[in-house]
Structures are given as C-alpha cells and as structure tokens.
Amino acid sequence: MISSEGEKADAFTNQVIQHGATGEDVIELQARLQYIGYYNGKIDGVFGWGTYWALRNFQYEFGLPIDGLAGSETKQKLVKASEYNKQFVQEQIRKGKKFTHYGGTDMNKQSGAGGGGGGGGTQPSKPKPENKPSKPTATNTPNGYSQNDIQIMANAVYGEARGEPYEGQVAVAAVILNRIDSASFPNTAAGVIFEPGAFTAVADGQIYLTPNEKAKEAVLDAINGWDPSSNALYYFNPATATSKWIWSRPQIKQIGKHIFCK
C-alpha cells in the first residue's frame, strides 16, 4: 500500500523510539526497515539489538545522525523511503505469523508460516555493508555479552586499532570473539584480552585509554555477526612485528595496517 502524503506525515506517533521500547511504533519501525532490506529479524514490536543496528545502518546510509534513535528526522526519512500496510502487518502478527520478509513480494507470499521465520520473498535491492547479519534479541545486552565485556573489548579495540579503518576495528573485535569461541584460548573477554603477551595495548597500557563510540560500535557489530577477519585468531602489523612466530601463521587477508591470520 502506497501511503498518501497526509498519511506519511502521521505514520508514527511523536515519541522518540529507542532501544527497549515496545508497541505499535516499533512494529512499524521494524516493518519499514524490513521493507527496504535493513532488518531481517521478526516483526515483533520489541526494539532489541537487531532493530537497533538495522536502524543505525539505515541512518548511516541515508546521511542521518547515527544514534540508533528513531526521532522526527529519521522517521520522516524512513517514511519516504518505505511503505507500510498497517492492517496487513497487524493482522499477520495477530495470527502469530512473525514473518521475516515484508515488502517486495505479493502479500500472500509475505505472511510466512504460523509462528515461524517468514515468507520466501526477496528484499528490494539496496546498498548495505557486506557480511553484517543481524542477530536480533530483546535482551539488554547482545548475545549474552555483559556491558563489562563490551567495555573491555571496546578498550582493546581502541588501544589496538583506533587509527585503522572501521572494518579493521570490527575485525580486531572479531578476533577477540573468535578466541573466546576457540578451545585454545580463555573463554571470557577479559581472559582473552589479558592473557599474557596477547595484546600490545595491554603491554603498553593503552588498554586503559577511554574508547570512543566508534570502538564500541565495532565491538557490537562484531558481536552481532560481522567478521571482516574471516575467522582469524591472530593479527599483526608487519611494520612493527618483532615475533618471527607470527609470520609463520597462515595469512588470511590484510585490512589497513594489520594482517589477519589463522
């Protein structure tokens, strides 16, 4: 359904929609983000981390302030960029059809299986960051990581890679997560980061610098599934590396000044 200009102006209520919110405004937000391909989680009216990062990506690519808040400017831009059939979406939710594909296909293909993961349509094409899947959750922290975990990983990313391109910062965060998941390393963020000799930022004290928002965003992007390192467990700067052993590791790719290895 293509809304008229008058309907567009009143599409949302006046509230600023933010993480933790629930209700009809969140349903509309998720549906509109899903319609143009930014959100691939369930339309459930819960503003979790999947919705938050989908909204941030939308803001980034549409030149809006990147704050993860659906305020007036963001909502206006979203309404112009998408369509929302409130009656159709609300009806599917009432039926328990928490579909994950809205938009771009006939309505009878959008409704999805009862209570399941959605219809089989394809999203309208749009530019978006590669390999950044959303893993939505309605909890206060993404995928089980505490705020302390996120903070110490942000400190590590900032201390190790603050001069690197954003992709490289996400890759450093991903290496930490890959180590947590590996049987060869400690199974906590602090354990991995403070393992003796593991990170230069710990050795030279830069781990205690105050990280910026970009470092925190990089950690959350990595937690939510983006791994530019391609499952690397190590990385090094070839211009400054003094360890002969690190050169023996199978190399995967270079991002910025860092070479990532298996």
Side-chain angles (χ1 to χ4, degrees):
M1 179 181 72
I2 300 177
S3 304
S4 69
E5 288 301 317
E7 289 172 329
K8 285 184 177 181
D10 300 321
F12 290 97
T13 66
N14 292 327
Q15 72 165 330
V16 175
I17 317 168
Q18 58 188 325
H19 184 262
T22 59
E24 292 190 4
D25 268 0
V26 180
I27 289 172
E28 180 173 351
L29 176 66
Q30 292 172 328
R32 288 185 179 277
L33 287 169
Q34 193 172 102
Y35 188 88
I36 50 178
Y38 285 87
Y39 177 65
N40 62 3
K42 293 180 180 178
I43 299 176
D44 57 7
V46 179
F47 196 141
W49 287 105
T51 307
Y52 175 81
W53 286 104
L55 181 59
R56 285 181 64 98
N57 287 337
F58 170 80
Q59 290 174 325
Y60 171 78
E61 292 184 18
F62 277 74
L64 295 161
I66 307 170
D67 55 13
L69 302 173
S72 176
E73 184 180 5
T74 292
K75 287 188 288 187
Q76 288 177 13
K77 184 76 75 172
L78 186 56
V79 167
K80 290 180 180 178
S82 64
E83 297 176 12
Y84 177 55
N85 187 325
K86 180 177 179 179
Q87 181 178 354
F88 171 74
V89 172
Q90 297 278 2
E91 181 181 352
Q92 302 312 313
I93 291 174
R94 282 195 298 272
K95 291 179 178 178
K97 295 180 177 180
K98 297 182 179 180
F99 47 88
T100 56
H101 291 79
Y102 169 67
T105 60
D106 293 337
M107 286 184 182
N108 63 355
K109 297 180 181 178
Q110 292 176 24
S111 56
T122 57
Q123 298 290 352
S125 61
K126 67 161 200 67
K128 60 182 178 180
E130 294 182 355
N131 302 323
K132 263 179 119 171
S134 169
K135 294 185 178 179
T137 163
T139 59
N140 290 329
T141 54
N143 297 344
Y145 289 94
S146 70
Q147 291 297 333
N148 285 338
D149 291 333
I150 294 167
Q151 182 66 45
I152 192 60
M153 285 191 280
N155 278 54
V157 169
Y158 187 73
E160 292 275 315
R162 61 184 177 275
E164 293 297 295
Y166 183 70
E167 181 184 4
Q169 294 184 41
V170 178
V172 167
V175 167
I176 295 171
L177 297 177
N178 293 340
R179 289 189 179 190
I180 292 172
D181 290 339
S182 170
S184 300
F185 295 90
N187 61 0
T188 65
V192 165
I193 292 166
F194 289 102
E195 188 174 24
F199 291 93
T200 304
V202 174
D204 62 16
Q206 294 191 65
I207 189 73
Y208 300 108
L209 296 174
T210 301
N212 58 15
E213 286 302 311
K214 183 177 287 188
K216 295 177 183 177
E217 291 167 13
V219 170
L220 288 168
D221 264 348
I223 288 174
N224 279 294
W226 188 21
D227 184 359
S229 81
S230 300
N231 298 313
L233 290 172
Y234 305 93
Y235 63 88
F236 68 99
N237 184 336
T240 59
T242 58
S243 167
K244 293 182 179 179
W245 174 86
I246 194 65
W247 285 97
S248 71
R249 305 302 306 176
Q251 296 181 10
I252 300 172
K253 65 170 67 173
Q254 181 163 351
I255 305 173
K257 295 179 180 179
H258 286 142
I259 294 175
F260 292 82
C261 312
K262 295 180 181 179

